[in-house]
Amino acid sequence: MTTEQDDKATDGHRHWFRRNPALNLTYRIGVGVVGGLVLVAGVLMIPYPGPGWLVVFAGLAILATEFEWAGRVLRFAKRYYDAWVEWLKRQNMVVKALVLAATGLVVAVTCWLLGAFALVGGWFGLDWPWLASPIFK
């Protein structure tokens, strides 16, 4: 196989975009926008129950298809995430409970700031002032 055939075999559809500078730039911008949006969504989801870190890694993986720096950040983040999980596994129940409580506090404060407590309280006829969001008064 020639080098060009090797490139086509390994790059899939990318060889077609690389031949045209305008299409290549458009493709890279598209990958950057989609990957960036997925990454930001993942970062916002991190403190909440669910797939926050998975979405962060997915966003970085999307970006890494076109940007070498994203691949380096992905490897760095995965290494430190794995180290955090291993560290947390080794901790006693008190530390695990404190981490869980801190996570719960972040979720509760965010729900309060976004007005979720006032919304649910309204369903039950509770008009307590402290349930209202300080942001959405």
Side-chain angles (χ1 to χ4, degrees):
M1 268 170 126
T2 66
T3 304
E4 186 176 318
Q5 289 171 329
D6 273 344
D7 287 344
K8 286 182 182 181
T10 58
D11 285 344
H13 67 282
R14 278 300 285 137
H15 75 280
W16 192 78
F17 288 103
R18 284 195 179 114
R19 291 187 300 183
N20 183 321
L23 280 177
N24 188 43
L25 179 61
T26 302
Y27 182 82
R28 287 177 59 90
I29 289 171
V31 168
V33 168
V34 171
L37 289 173
V38 172
L39 178 62
V40 168
V43 168
L44 293 174
M45 286 190 265
I46 287 172
Y48 306 101
W53 280 108
L54 179 64
V55 176
V56 167
F57 293 136
L60 285 171
I62 291 168
L63 290 169
T65 63
E66 285 301 310
F67 305 103
E68 188 177 322
W69 64 265
R72 289 191 305 270
V73 172
L74 178 60
R75 289 186 295 277
F76 173 85
K78 185 173 178 344
R79 186 172 60 247
Y80 278 90
Y81 173 79
D82 290 342
W84 163 256
V85 169
E86 288 303 316
W87 176 84
L88 196 56
K89 284 179 183 176
R90 293 189 308 268
Q91 301 310 304
N92 64 36
M93 289 305 289
V94 173
V95 173
K96 290 177 184 178
L98 286 172
V99 170
L100 182 63
T103 302
L105 181 63
V106 168
V107 171
V109 168
T110 305
C111 289
W112 174 64
L113 289 173
L114 294 177
F117 292 158
L119 175 69
V120 174
W123 295 344
F124 297 101
L126 303 175
D127 290 327
W128 299 335
W130 63 270
L131 290 177
S133 167
I135 297 173
F136 301 112
K137 284 191 175 195

